[in-house]
């Protein structure tokens, strides 16, 4: 055309049509400028002299130059593509390599794709080359698409459909359908994988949105619109295993990337064979690497990204999950404590050291198999549950389940006392088993002590005690000490009752109900006298309780359980056992777990029971002291250094020669006896025990010859007894020597014929105990050597003796096994127990019958020839203890608790049963450990992992055990809303057998994960976390409501402090 002429569209010849040709269209129109290439110039200048040979040659040279440059750049891109794959390479170096080793872009936040405004100053920005780019780069086809859509959003373009609530914008075309056009570029293939999600609620859902949006940080509604922005998005649902899930998603993404690459290669081959009429450049542009932000824009799913996704998910849904744990309680509980998961939890301290803060996880599961609670604990001590168990009770009451009628645990020392003091109904209708004993029953009447419930009464009795103490001091045989029996009754809230009995003197039962922390000063002065030696069982805890509540500081104490071991190290140390051994009486412990948190006055049986625990200790102490001081004196062997390979060494500040040991004397029974072994000075002069305790700088330390000790012990001349600590915990001073004296024997009941019978009628309707043990645990834990050939037969004997198998179901199982060629049912049962337990109901036998059967089996194993070789002392003790627990009703079924629930049929048509008792909490811990794998996890991740998996366990157990509807997913809050909506609209209640948690109002109580425990104010401070902590430490502090969470010692300085303290405080 002539210059200046116009075409049908009105474009003049020789005009610049670039702008019109290169307007960005959403319909996948090919972009010519990409990957750093300049736009090709329009060669049409309007000249009509097309036959000009010079001009043609010029165009040809320019075309060849462009193609040569593109070829060089294409080879460079192919090299980068190959190097983007681990272990990838190409045959030869490409021409024109400029040494650029990476096309990865950094500091993408400097260009965040926003439409204006300032960046968020709170965001922590990394250095430019420290952070991977994750947004499309400027000039990339994805970036232009996003900018185009953003401009449409700002302009309220109706074609977007925002007013209709449109969220997704799909690719408009398939590049294979459209072809490559005049230039072979992969832009259309990049866009074919680009889906844009719009979230602009104030435009999409304007009728539902408020005019102001509250700030997520300060909750203020004075907010303003800031900007539109975009982020890469990878879709995932529920995440559990970080690495595995991320690898799976990344693998699928790489497969899709490879498929797109293959499609582009195939389109190029077709394009080269069938070129269009006009080809701008014959050299195609290679496909970019996966993570090129100017090309494909692939974003890999990292472990940290998935972890953060899980945390965001849990922050939203955890309140509902915690409410689910509170709302799904029943009338029973099974507790278990395990270290399986906590040993994998780590937290990083400020100096970079990693420590494992938790020791155990304490879990409670209901009779229906639904988890009620599962918390992390620093230790296995029950003290950490002092506040948790009462809070759990409050949660149960809030859920409408006020009574706990059945409790099963594996560690009575951890939680039994706290649980019984919290749930008094556990002993309300219980008639405990009383052991048959030939000994007379010890009893105390209410006339032998004074019951005090007022401050005035306490002050008056203090004067009586002062008078008694003065009289004792005036006696000829007074040795400087007065024995005082001491005991307390307490619950989770603290001290409730004090029992005090003076040796051959007055006794009192102090009931300080509603006293607060006020205690009579006169009585306090009496109890703090240095001449009083307080004696009791677990005396240290009793003294701690009275000190914490009233500030009474007991100066001298003796732990009776350790003292008795000096006389006989093999004896049992319970108060009941010691009373039988030294006093020859039987002590009834029926009210041991009674509820003592009652208003005065206390009824006579409870008062008499409480006081007997104070009068018995000093009577037993008399007999022990008499046994220790009569006849030949004994050396109390404490401990030895052990073998040291014939080398001398230091023990603290003392130098110890080869094959020598340090012995520390903590209690001197006979101070005048010569030390039987060499003294630390190794001289010929032998000193007495009393001198060894008070002389020299060693102060009670002896260096002795270990070979002499062993020789004497082997000859039986010196008994091996346990270590006994008889020093005051408050002042650190040793207890003075006591002069032995004869005492009056304990008074017996004067009318033995009137003593009530010790064994009651064995009526099955009588509930002996609501504390239950797992009978299957007893079968599993029989102490037989590993690989014992008699194990299957012994197991079967005990099984038949304690459980009553359903004969019909057992015969059906045996018939199925016979068809499979299995004839030895005992061996099959031993190795496939769960198979039998699920198909044959086996309720426990009558407690008396089960006990008799176990004792009969014990006699068979002990006396019959085939089993004698496997009968050991441990097995003997185990069977006797098991028989006693049977008599106590630890395995009986309760009339108000169902044991079995039908669970369908297996492939052989056999009935399947669910057991509503047993070690479900232990099974839960095993599943948690398996799900976590062998890798450590941070405390925040562990918390969310514990909450999430416990919730999944609850949902699945609800379907299997409770008949809850199976919705085939775990987002049950959606089903709650559906149920509530149908009821509100149509008045029809669907799924009436499930708990709608959305309509339940939980209390502020953390049932699962990291939450508040019972902390001692001497060691931690409650309040807002301090400002300098971060990470897992800060998370623990926030969850527990502490300024700083307690951490285990881990540094050399901390261990040095512990070592120094132990050296200066050996007691």
């Amino acid at each position: 055309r002539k210059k200046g002429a116009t075409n049908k569209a009105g474009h003049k010849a020789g005009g610049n049509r670039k702008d019109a040709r290169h307007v960005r269209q959403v319909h996948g129109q090919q972009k010519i400028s990409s990957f750093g290439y300049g736009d090709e110039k329009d060669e049409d200048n309007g000249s009509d002299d097309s036959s000009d040979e010079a001009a043609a040659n010029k165009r040809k040279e320019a075309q060849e130059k462009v193609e040569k440059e593109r070829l060089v750049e294409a080879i460079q891109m192919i090299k980068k593509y190959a190097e983007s794959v681990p272990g990838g390479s190409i045959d030869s170096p490409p021409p024109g390599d400029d040494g650029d080793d990476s096309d990865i872009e950094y500091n993408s936040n400097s260009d965040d794709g926003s439409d204006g405004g300032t960046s968020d100053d709170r965001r922590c920005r990394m250095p430019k080359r420290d952070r991977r780019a994750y947004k499309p780069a400027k000039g990339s086809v994805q970036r232009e698409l996003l900018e185009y859509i953003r401009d449409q959003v700002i302009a309220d373009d109706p074609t977007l459909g925002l007013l209709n609530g449109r969220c997704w914008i799909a690719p408009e075309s398939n590049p294979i359908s459209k072809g490559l056009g005049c230039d072979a570029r992969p832009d259309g293939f990049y866009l074919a994988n680009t889906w844009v999600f719009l979230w602009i609620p104030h435009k999409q859902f304007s009728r539902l949105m408020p005019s102001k949006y509250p700030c997520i940080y300060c909750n203020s509604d004075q907010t303003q619109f800031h900007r539109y922005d975009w982020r890469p998005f990878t879709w995932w649902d529920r995440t559990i295993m970080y690495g595995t899930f991320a690898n799976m998603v990344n693998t699928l993404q790489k497969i899709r990337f490879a498929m797109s690459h293959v499609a582009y290669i195939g389109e190029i081959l077709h394009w080269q064979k069938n070129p269009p009429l006009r080809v701008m450049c014959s050299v195609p542009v290679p496909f970019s690497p996966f993570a090129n932000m100017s090309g494909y824009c692939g974003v890999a799913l990292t472990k940290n990204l998935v972890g953060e996704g899980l945390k965001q998910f849990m922050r939203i849904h955890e309140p509902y999950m915690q409410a689910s744990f509170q709302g799904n309680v029943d009338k029973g509980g099974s507790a278990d404590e395990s270290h399986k998961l906590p040993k994998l939890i780590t937290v990083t301290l400020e100096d970079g050291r990693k420590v494992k803060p938790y020791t155990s996880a304490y879990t409670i599961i209901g009779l229906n198999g639904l988890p009620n609670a599962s918390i992390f604990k620093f230790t296995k001590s029950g003290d950490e549950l002092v506040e948790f168990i009462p809070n759990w009770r409050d949660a149960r009451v809030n859920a409408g389940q006020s009574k706990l009628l059945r409790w099963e645990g594996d560690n009575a020392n951890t939680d039994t006392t706290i649980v019984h003091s919290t749930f008094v109904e556990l002993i309300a209708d219980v008639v405990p088993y009383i052991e048959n004993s030939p000994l007379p029953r010890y009893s105390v009447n209410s006339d032998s002590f004074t019951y005090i419930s007022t401050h005035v009464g306490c002050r008056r009795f203090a004067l009586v005690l002062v008078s008694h103490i003065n009289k004792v001091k005036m006696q000829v045989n007074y040795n400087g000490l007065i024995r005082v029996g001491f005991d307390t009754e307490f619950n989770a809230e603290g001290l409730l009752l004090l029992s005090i009995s003076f040796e051959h003197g007055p006794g009192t039962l102090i009931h300080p109900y509603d006293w607060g922390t006020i205690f009579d000063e006169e009585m306090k002065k009496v109890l703090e006298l240095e001449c009083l030696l307080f004696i009791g069982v677990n005396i240290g805890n009793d003294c701690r309780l009275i000190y914490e509540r009233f500030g009474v500081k007991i100066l001298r104490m003796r732990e009776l359980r350790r003292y008795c071991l000096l006389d006989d190290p093999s004896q049992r140390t319970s108060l009941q056992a010691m009373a039988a051994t030294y006093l020859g009486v039987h002590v009834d412990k029926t009210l041991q777990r009674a509820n003592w948190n009652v208003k005065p006055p206390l009824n006579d049986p409870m008062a008499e029971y409480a006081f007997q625990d104070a009068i018995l200790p000093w009577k037993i102490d008399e007999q022990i002291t008499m046994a220790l001081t009569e006849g030949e004196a004994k050396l109390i062997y404490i401990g030895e250094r052990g073998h040291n390979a014939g080398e001398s060494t230091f023990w603290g500040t003392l130098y110890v020669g080869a094959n020598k040991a340090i012995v520390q004397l903590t209690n001197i029974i006979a101070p005048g006896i010569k030390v039987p072994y060499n003294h630390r000075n190794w001289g010929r002069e032998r000193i007495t025990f009393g001198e060894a305790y008070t002389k020299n700088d060693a102060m009670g330390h002896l260096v002795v010859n270990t070979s002499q000790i062993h020789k004497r012990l082997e000859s039986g001349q010196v008994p091996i007894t346990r270590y006994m600590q008889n020093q005051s915990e408050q002042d650190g001073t040793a207890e003075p020597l006591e002069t032995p004296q004869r005492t009056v024997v304990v008074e017996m009941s004067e009318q033995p014929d009137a003593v009530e019978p010790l064994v009651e009628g064995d009526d099955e309707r009588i509930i002996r105990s609501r504390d239950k043990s797992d009978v299957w645990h007893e079968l599993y834990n029989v102490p037989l050597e590993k690989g014992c050939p008699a194990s299957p037969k012994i197991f079967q004997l005990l099984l038949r003796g304690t459980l009553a198998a359903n004969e019909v179901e057992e015969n059906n199982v045996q018939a199925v096994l016979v068809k499979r060629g299995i004839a030895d049912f005992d061996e099959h049962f031993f190795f496939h127990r769960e198979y039998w337990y699920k198909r044959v109901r086996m309720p426990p036998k009558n407690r008396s019958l089960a006990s008799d059967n176990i004792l009969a089996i014990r006699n068979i194993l002990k006396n019959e020839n085939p089993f004698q070789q496997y009968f050991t002392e441990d097995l003997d003790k185990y069977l006797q203890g098991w028989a006693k627990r049977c008599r106590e009703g630890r395995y009986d079924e309760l009339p108000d608790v169902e044991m079995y629930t039908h669970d369908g049929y297996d492939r052989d048509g056999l009935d399947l049963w669910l057991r509503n008792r047993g070690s479900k909490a232990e099974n839960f811990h095993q599943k948690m450990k398996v799900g976590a794998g062998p890798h450590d996890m941070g405390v925040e991740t562990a918390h969310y992992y514990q909450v999430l998996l416990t919730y999944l366990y609850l949902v699945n157990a609800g379907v299997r055990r409770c008949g809850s509807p199976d919705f085939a997913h775990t987002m049950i809050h959606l089903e709650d809303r559906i149920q509530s909506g149908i009821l509100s609209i149509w008045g029809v209640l669907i799924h009436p057998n499930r708990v709608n948690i959305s309509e339940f109002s939980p209390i502020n109580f953390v049932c699962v994960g990291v939450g508040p425990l019972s902390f001692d104010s001497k060691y931690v401070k409650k309040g807002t976390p301090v400002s300098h902590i971060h990470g897992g430490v800060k998370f623990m502090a926030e969850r527990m409501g502490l300024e700083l969470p307690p951490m285990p010692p881990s540094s050399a300085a901390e261990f040095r402090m512990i070592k120094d303290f132990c050296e200066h405080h050996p007691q």
Side-chain angles (χ1 to χ4, degrees):
R1 302 188 302 276
K2 290 184 179 181
K3 187 174 183 180
T6 60
N7 57 15
K8 294 181 179 180
H11 297 148
K12 293 183 179 180
N16 188 357
R17 293 173 291 169
K18 174 182 176 183
D19 293 340
R21 185 171 69 246
H22 292 274
V23 171
R24 179 67 243 157
Q25 299 292 335
V26 182
H27 301 286
Q29 181 176 342
Q30 303 304 310
K31 179 177 181 296
I32 294 187
S33 175
S34 182
F35 303 105
Y37 299 106
D39 294 340
E40 286 77 358
K41 302 298 183 181
D42 189 348
E43 299 297 330
D44 185 3
N45 57 8
S47 176
D48 293 333
D49 191 3
S50 59
S51 60
D52 188 347
E53 184 176 355
N57 291 335
K58 184 178 180 181
R59 286 194 298 269
K60 183 177 181 181
E61 290 176 0
Q63 181 81 5
E64 291 176 351
K65 181 180 180 182
V66 169
E67 291 180 353
K68 184 177 179 180
E69 292 176 353
R70 182 177 287 193
L71 178 62
V72 172
E73 294 180 356
I75 295 176
Q76 292 177 353
M77 292 184 62
I78 294 173
K79 176 188 176 184
K80 294 177 181 180
Y81 172 82
E83 291 176 347
S84 69
V85 180
S89 62
I90 59 176
D91 273 347
S92 58
D97 189 0
D98 58 0
D100 187 9
D101 59 348
S102 175
D103 65 341
I104 295 179
E105 301 173 11
Y106 295 86
N107 196 28
S108 61
N109 281 324
S110 61
D111 177 29
D112 58 3
S114 65
D115 62 330
T118 58
S119 61
D120 189 352
D121 294 333
R122 289 172 301 184
R123 183 181 304 166
C124 177
R125 299 189 178 276
M126 290 183 168
K128 287 187 177 182
R129 297 194 62 83
D130 289 344
R131 201 159 46 159
R132 171 76 167 78
Y134 65 92
K135 292 183 178 180
K138 279 188 176 181
S140 65
V141 64
Q142 284 93 345
R143 180 62 172 266
E144 290 194 359
L145 173 62
L146 294 172
E147 290 176 345
Y148 175 76
I149 296 174
R150 182 194 63 192
D151 294 340
Q152 285 185 300
V153 171
I154 295 174
D156 291 328
D157 191 334
T159 60
L160 282 181
L162 292 180
L163 297 180
N164 298 326
R166 184 185 181 186
C167 292
W168 285 99
I169 298 180
E172 295 271 343
S173 63
N174 191 318
I176 298 178
S177 172
K178 190 171 183 179
L180 294 177
C182 62
D183 195 18
R185 292 179 177 277
D187 292 4
F189 290 86
Y190 299 155
L191 290 179
N193 292 318
T194 302
W195 291 68
V196 181
F197 179 79
L198 301 176
W199 183 246
I200 310 157
H202 63 280
K203 293 187 177 183
Q204 295 165 316
F205 315 103
S206 58
R207 69 182 185 87
L208 301 175
M209 295 297 295
S211 58
K212 291 288 186 178
Y213 313 107
C215 175
I216 62 174
Y217 298 102
C218 66
N219 294 323
S220 171
D221 60 355
Q222 301 301 316
T223 55
Q224 295 180 350
F225 171 73
H226 185 48
R227 66 173 182 237
Y228 293 107
D229 205 350
W230 52 72
R231 293 287 187 274
F233 180 74
T234 302
W235 177 263
W236 66 84
D237 189 3
R238 188 177 66 239
T239 304
I240 294 179
M241 297 181 65
Y242 287 2
T244 301
F245 184 83
N247 292 338
M248 177 185 67
V249 173
N250 291 334
T251 299
L252 295 176
Q253 288 198 94
K254 293 299 179 64
I255 292 174
R256 187 178 65 175
F257 167 73
M259 292 172 66
S260 299
H261 197 169
V262 168
Y264 177 59
I265 295 295
E267 189 62 24
I268 290 176
L269 295 175
H270 182 271
W271 181 78
Q272 290 177 338
K273 292 180 181 179
N274 304 281
L277 294 178
R278 181 171 180 266
V279 177
M280 298 190 63
C281 182
S282 62
V283 179
V285 177
F287 212 74
S288 79
F290 174 82
N292 188 291
M293 293 295 107
S294 296
Y296 187 81
C297 283
V299 179
L301 186 62
T302 64
K303 176 181 176 181
N304 291 335
L305 182 59
V306 179
E308 188 60 31
L310 171 65
K311 294 173 184 177
Q312 294 293 347
F313 175 87
M314 291 303 300
R315 291 183 186 117
I316 296 172
H317 295 284
E318 183 182 355
Y320 179 85
M321 297 178 181
Q322 295 285 358
S324 299
F325 305 137
Q326 293 187 28
N328 286 280
V329 294
D330 56 27
K331 51 190 173 184
S334 173
D336 184 66
E337 199 156 7
S338 172
H339 66 277
K340 294 182 177 66
L341 180 61
K343 69 179 182 181
L344 302 177
I345 302 174
T346 62
V347 62
T348 303
L349 304 181
E350 292 192 17
D351 57 1
R353 289 178 290 114
K354 284 190 174 183
V355 298
K356 296 183 178 181
Y358 295 110
T359 299
S360 67
Y362 180 79
T363 299
I364 303 174
I365 291 187
L367 290 175
N368 52 18
L370 304 183
N372 299 159
S374 183
I375 59 170
F376 297 125
K377 293 175 54 185
F378 293 98
T379 68
K380 280 197 171 185
S381 170
D383 292 338
E384 296 182 40
L385 302 175
V386 169
E387 297 177 9
F388 178 82
I389 296 297
N391 290 337
W392 182 56
R393 173 202 58 198
D394 296 341
R396 290 174 56 87
V397 173
N398 181 63
Q401 192 63 256
S402 58
K403 291 186 177 182
L404 183 69
L405 300 179
R406 186 181 190 279
W407 180 256
E408 182 175 312
D410 68 335
N411 188 359
N413 294 328
T414 299
D415 53 20
T416 300
T417 302
I418 302 174
V419 170
H420 274 265
S421 63
T422 305
F423 299 96
V424 296
E425 60 271 14
L426 285 173
I427 60 173
D429 54 352
V430 172
V431 181
Y433 170 78
I434 302 176
E435 187 69 37
N436 189 10
S437 174
L439 300 175
R441 197 169 186 176
Y442 184 79
S443 61
V444 174
N445 57 60
S446 57
D447 296 334
S448 58
F449 60 90
T450 302
Y451 179 77
I452 298 174
S453 59
T454 64
H455 291 286
V456 175
C458 192
R459 186 178 304 110
R460 290 175 179 174
F461 194 80
L463 299 177
V464 175
L465 293 180
V466 170
S467 175
H468 172 75
I469 293 172
N470 291 332
K471 291 180 180 179
V472 173
K473 288 183 177 181
M474 295 175 62
Q475 295 178 2
V476 178
N477 58 351
Y478 173 66
N479 63 347
L481 285 179
I482 302 174
R483 291 187 180 93
V484 179
F486 185 58
D487 188 58
T488 64
E489 304 296 342
F490 58 93
N491 66 1
E493 281 74 29
L495 181 67
L496 300 175
L497 206 65
L498 292 172
S499 304
I500 303 172
S501 174
F502 275 67
E503 177 183 13
H504 305 298
T508 181
L509 189 64
I510 301 177
H511 193 178
Y513 190 83
D514 282 343
W515 286 16
T517 59
I518 301 175
F519 197 73
D520 181 70
E521 288 297 328
E522 297 300 325
M523 178 63 76
K524 181 178 179 181
K525 293 177 182 179
V526 172
L527 298 181
E528 291 181 345
L529 291 175
E530 191 173 359
C531 64
L532 302 183
L533 173 63
F534 286 80
I535 302 169
V537 175
N538 198 16
I539 186 71
N541 183 63
D542 294 332
C543 294
R544 177 183 63 84
L545 289 171
I546 192 175
Y547 177 75
E548 289 180 350
R549 179 170 179 182
F550 298 123
V552 178
K553 188 176 182 180
I554 304 299
L555 299 181
R556 301 185 182 276
M557 69 183 72
R558 175 140 69 201
E559 175 55 61
L560 198 60
R561 293 178 303 174
R562 291 181 175 177
Y563 192 47
C564 73
L565 294 177
L566 301 179
D567 179 52
D568 182 2
S570 62
Q571 66 175 304
R572 297 172 60 190
T573 59
S574 66
L575 183 64
Q576 189 179 48
M578 288 187 290
T581 301
Y582 292 101
L583 305 180
V585 295
H586 175 80
V587 178
D588 182 13
K589 304 295 289 184
T590 301
L591 298 176
Q592 186 172 15
R593 295 173 179 173
N595 177 30
W596 299 95
N597 190 17
V598 295
K599 293 182 179 180
L602 207 61
N603 60 55
D604 288 347
M606 295 182 69
E608 292 167 1
Y609 171 85
F611 185 71
Q612 79 173 9
D613 285 356
I615 194 173
L616 286 172
W618 67 261
K619 292 177 178 292
I620 296 173
D621 186 88
E622 276 187 332
Q623 302 301 314
I624 296 175
T625 302
M626 188 183 304
L628 291 175
T629 54
E630 286 186 341
E632 183 179 357
K634 302 174 182 178
L635 167 68
I636 303 172
Y637 166 66
I638 305 301
E640 63 172 274
R641 171 73 173 182
H643 299 289
N644 54 7
E647 297 181 0
S648 300
T649 184
F650 277 93
W651 186 307
T653 58
L654 299 177
Y655 182 78
V656 183
N659 298 321
K660 305 299 186 297
I662 285 287
V663 171
Q664 181 180 2
L665 304 177
T666 60
N667 185 53
I668 309 298
I669 300 298
I673 297 180
K674 298 285 187 178
V675 177
Y677 310 129
N678 290 329
H679 183 243
R680 60 182 294 269
N681 295 327
W682 301 108
R684 292 186 177 182
E685 181 181 359
R686 296 171 61 194
I687 61 176
T688 64
F689 281 115
E691 293 171 337
Y693 195 84
T694 57
K695 287 180 60 176
N696 305 319
D697 58 346
M699 286 301 294
H701 288 81
L702 296 177
V703 176
V704 299
N705 190 300
T706 57
S707 61
Q708 291 184 18
I709 293 179
H710 294 154
K711 181 178 179 181
R712 290 288 298 274
L713 294 178
E714 291 171 0
S715 64
Q717 296 181 17
V718 180
I720 300 179
T721 60
R722 297 184 185 179
Y723 172 79
M724 185 193 74
Q725 176 180 333
N726 275 319
Q727 287 183 298
S728 171
E729 296 183 3
Q730 281 80 8
D731 62 1
T733 58
E735 168 191 319
L737 173 68
E738 294 181 289
T739 304
Q741 58 180 359
R742 290 285 181 180
T743 57
V744 180
V745 182
V746 175
E747 301 85 355
M748 307 300 179
S749 299
E750 297 182 0
Q751 298 178 352
D753 297 336
V755 177
E756 60 181 301
L758 298 181
V759 180
E760 301 179 12
D762 196 21
D763 189 344
E764 285 298 308
R765 294 172 297 180
I766 296 177
I767 299 177
R768 292 297 186 194
S769 174
R770 290 190 177 273
D771 283 311
K772 300 300 178 181
S773 299
D774 184 6
V775 66
W776 289 284
H777 247 95
E778 301 285 5
L779 290 168
Y780 298 156
N781 295 334
V782 176
L784 294 172
E785 293 184 2
K786 188 176 181 180
C788 174
S791 293
K793 298 299 180 184
I794 296 176
F795 179 86
Q796 199 61 219
L797 284 173
L798 294 171
L799 178 76
R800 301 295 176 181
T802 56
L803 300 176
N806 186 292
E807 294 184 6
V808 175
E809 294 168 353
E810 184 178 15
N811 293 334
N812 293 338
V813 171
Q814 292 177 354
V816 170
L817 295 179
V818 169
K819 292 179 181 179
R820 298 178 183 176
I822 300 174
D824 192 344
F825 303 131
D826 292 349
E827 185 172 351
H828 184 271
F829 200 127
F830 184 73
F831 292 104
H832 303 86
R833 303 170 192 177
E834 281 301 320
Y835 177 86
W836 288 79
Y837 293 157
K838 291 180 179 179
R839 291 162 176 80
V840 182
R841 285 173 292 176
M842 301 179 184
K845 288 186 176 180
N846 173 280
R847 47 183 170 252
S848 299
L849 178 60
S851 176
D852 294 341
N853 289 344
I854 293 175
L855 295 178
I857 294 171
R858 168 185 172 273
N859 293 332
I860 293 174
L861 300 180
K862 182 177 181 180
N863 301 318
E864 296 293 333
N865 189 30
F867 299 106
Q868 281 182 330
Q869 55 182 325
Y870 309 114
F871 189 80
T872 62
E873 183 178 353
D874 290 339
L875 180 58
D876 187 19
K877 291 182 179 179
Y878 186 84
L879 294 178
Q880 292 191 53
W882 187 357
K884 181 181 179 182
R885 289 189 290 274
C886 286
R887 298 191 296 272
E888 293 174 347
R890 298 296 294 272
Y891 311 103
D892 292 348
E893 291 313 308
L894 298 174
D896 46 6
V897 177
E898 293 292 334
M899 180 175 180
Y900 284 100
T901 302
H902 195 264
D903 193 35
Y905 304 90
D906 68 358
R907 62 179 182 178
D908 299 310
L910 300 176
D911 291 287
L912 296 176
W913 300 94
L914 291 173
R915 303 191 304 275
N916 294 333
R917 59 173 290 184
S919 56
K920 294 182 290 292
E922 183 180 8
N923 297 337
F924 170 81
H925 285 147
Q926 185 63 30
K927 293 181 184 297
M928 296 294 294
K929 171 63 172 63
V930 173
H935 308 291
D936 291 345
M937 64 179 73
V939 65
E940 185 175 5
T941 301
H943 166 76
Y944 291 131
Y945 170 84
Q946 179 85 341
V947 174
L948 177 58
L949 261 71
T950 304
Y951 176 73
L952 300 180
Y953 189 97
L954 181 143
V955 173
N956 294 330
V959 173
R960 289 200 63 229
R961 292 180 169 270
C962 303
S964 298
D966 187 359
F967 299 110
H969 67 86
T970 57
M971 307 295 285
I972 307 300
H973 64 281
L974 302 176
E975 304 298 335
D976 289 348
R977 297 175 64 180
I978 293 173
Q979 184 187 44
S980 300
I982 292 177
L983 179 62
S984 175
I985 298 171
W986 292 285
V988 178
L989 178 63
I990 61 173
H991 316 312
N993 61 332
R994 65 179 295 268
V995 179
N996 192 324
I997 299 299
S998 296
E999 299 177 354
F1000 171 68
S1001 299
I1003 66 173
N1004 185 19
F1005 170 55
V1006 178
C1007 293
V1008 177
V1010 180
L1013 296 173
S1014 303
F1015 298 110
D1016 194 325
S1017 59
K1018 294 184 293 186
Y1019 304 104
V1020 295
K1021 291 183 178 180
K1022 295 183 179 181
T1024 305
V1026 295
S1027 59
H1028 66 271
I1029 59 176
H1030 56 83
V1033 179
K1034 183 178 180 180
F1035 177 81
M1036 292 176 62
E1038 291 175 341
R1039 296 287 305 183
M1040 296 181 175
L1042 302 175
E1043 293 184 3
L1044 281 171
M1047 289 293 171
S1050 57
S1051 66
E1054 290 170 336
F1055 286 117
R1056 195 180 308 114
M1057 290 171 59
I1058 297 174
K1059 181 180 178 182
D1060 293 343
F1061 180 84
C1062 293
E1063 288 182 352
H1064 292 88
H1065 302 80
Q1067 300 304 322

